[in-house]
Amino acid sequence: MVGSSVLLVVVALGHGFTIYPPSRNSIDKDLPLFANGTFPQANGKPGCTEGEGACGCWCNNGTDGCEPGQSCFWFSQGCSIGCPTCLGVDGSARWQKDLCNNSAQATVCNPLLRTYNQGAECNSEKDIYRHNPWRHPGTAPVFDACGRAGGGIVGGKVGGGAAFYIETIHAKEGDLGSKVLPPAPSGVAYKAGGVFEATWGMRANHGGGYQYRLCPSASPLTESCLQAMPLPFAGVQQLQYTNGTRQTIPSVYAYANGSAVLSFIDRAVPTAAGAWARNPIPDHTQGGSTSKLKTEFAPPCADDTSPPTLGLCSGERPFHLSIVDQIIVPAETPPGDYVLGFRWDCEETAQIWSTCSDITIVS
């Protein structure tokens, strides 16, 4: 149940990003190119498909509007678990290797927690996604707590993953979010000890899982600050469709040590702080996968596996829905201004999406 506190609805679309409260990363939303949720399709860049709108930060916020700007292009590219830094090199997201040769082992081994190739023996050669961020959540590095525009540039090469950040008066490719994006006070307040709603979706599905964290606005905005205040999940997860209707689904959560929490439609099971929610939307089956389905695992709705997005709640581009989570603000959280951080650790790719929003916690 949602408590008596004011509700927060956060929409992040994958690539992942927050919509409400407006994130610092959506700073371009009022520029003519991106006004009213639009995006300059194609924009002369390779890999863009105008018919499917593959280049835009397209979002579904039920019957409400979305104005994401370029929020979905703030991320970290080429990041393996246990490494000191990300590579940011074009193509490194899909190399499926230990990018710093540190021999870190995956801890998320339970097939219920994995979102790709669930039947492969954990940490075996057939477990090709074992080095990617979701397989030991929170231990892969990021370029910046609020993401890097375009994912990273090394030697003048643009980070891949269809991330073509369009330079504006606010930011350019390679900029660090915590350094160039000014605070964007939302005027929204949430009660310590209460529960709020967070909603996200995907522009492109890379599996894995995600976490919401807080950092006091008076503190330096770093990944370590956000990691110090992870928010627990209340154990309620829903799919929200374009007509505004919602469907409650079973939810699965992971801790960094690989232990799992299962929550049910008729019996919500809250997590402790530090838990990560598994992305409930399965991608279509990838090459070499052990899945016998058209998807990497069973979809959470009565799914229509028709092109171009594969299904209602599955596939690479599930534009039809967003994902609603109920999040707990611990009662001991001091009142004040905070940055709400969203971090999505992918499993299919060595990528992490990050956005930052400005909120207030009240007693």
Side-chain angles (χ1 to χ4, degrees):
M1 290 273 307
V2 177
S4 59
S5 59
V6 179
L7 292 183
L8 162 65
V9 179
V10 179
V11 181
L13 191 58
H15 310 168
F17 63 95
T18 52
I19 295 295
Y20 186 84
S23 74
R24 298 182 180 188
N25 307 76
S26 67
I27 191 169
D28 292 326
K29 63 185 176 63
D30 294 327
L31 297 178
L33 280 175
F34 311 98
N36 301 313
T38 60
F39 198 91
Q41 294 180 345
N43 196 48
K45 299 292 185 180
C48 296
T49 305
E50 186 165 352
E52 296 180 8
C55 286
C57 298
W58 311 110
C59 68
N60 164 30
N61 192 22
T63 57
D64 295 328
C66 288
E67 295 183 307
Q70 296 191 86
S71 300
C72 67
F73 296 138
W74 293 86
F75 68 109
S76 298
Q77 168 98 327
C79 314
S80 288
I81 58 174
C83 288
T85 188
C86 303
L87 291 185
V89 178
D90 186 26
S92 59
R94 295 183 181 273
W95 286 352
Q96 310 304 358
K97 59 183 293 187
D98 180 353
L99 296 175
C100 65
N101 299 313
N102 72 352
S103 301
Q105 297 289 294
T107 58
V108 171
C109 292
N110 187 332
L112 286 175
L113 298 174
R114 290 157 63 177
T115 53
Y116 289 91
N117 204 17
Q118 294 174 322
E121 180 183 351
C122 188
N123 287 309
S124 69
E125 288 300 313
K126 291 185 178 180
D127 184 12
I128 62 173
Y129 304 109
R130 65 190 183 277
H131 303 297
N132 291 339
W134 174 240
R135 299 302 299 281
H136 193 172
T139 66
V142 293
F143 280 125
D144 189 81
C146 301
R148 190 174 192 176
I153 300 176
V154 174
K157 296 193 70 176
V158 176
F164 306 113
Y165 195 88
I166 300 170
E167 182 174 347
T168 70
I169 59 173
H170 301 301
K172 63 183 184 302
E173 193 92 38
D175 280 348
L176 301 179
S178 70
K179 306 300 182 184
V180 304
L181 299 175
S186 63
V188 183
Y190 308 102
K191 185 176 177 62
V195 176
F196 65 82
E197 288 189 340
T199 307
W200 77 289
M202 284 165 283
R203 168 189 172 273
N205 190 0
H206 302 316
Y210 54 95
Q211 189 181 68
Y212 292 93
R213 303 90 58 80
L214 293 176
C215 176
S217 296
S219 300
L221 182 49
T222 62
E223 178 65 16
S224 60
C225 182
L226 289 168
Q227 286 184 340
M229 297 186 71
L231 296 175
F233 290 89
V236 177
Q237 192 174 64
Q238 297 175 311
L239 304 183
Q240 179 172 257
Y241 299 101
T242 53
N243 63 2
T245 61
R246 292 185 180 184
Q247 173 193 351
T248 302
I249 60 174
S251 48
V252 183
Y253 307 93
Y255 293 100
N257 64 4
S259 60
V261 174
L262 305 182
S263 192
F264 307 93
I265 294 175
D266 58 350
R267 181 171 60 88
V269 180
T271 73
W276 297 69
R278 186 199 68 169
N279 176 0
I281 306 303
D283 198 356
H284 57 262
T285 304
Q286 302 296 301
S289 174
T290 57
S291 175
K292 304 301 183 183
L293 306 173
K294 292 182 178 180
T295 55
E296 285 287 343
F297 56 94
C301 71
D303 199 51
D304 169 26
T305 54
S306 58
T309 58
L310 186 61
L312 181 64
C313 62
S314 67
E316 182 183 5
R317 301 192 185 279
F319 296 154
H320 313 296
L321 56 78
S322 49
I323 302 164
V324 182
D325 291 279
Q326 292 185 9
I327 311 297
I328 299 169
V329 180
E332 65 274 15
T333 305
D337 294 330
Y338 287 85
V339 172
L340 174 69
F342 171 83
R343 171 169 164 158
W344 174 22
D345 280 20
C346 297
E347 182 174 9
E348 183 191 19
T349 57
Q351 296 172 310
I352 297 167
W353 266 264
S354 307
T355 53
C356 292
S357 302
D358 295 280
I359 65 168
T360 299
I361 302 298
V362 298
S363 58

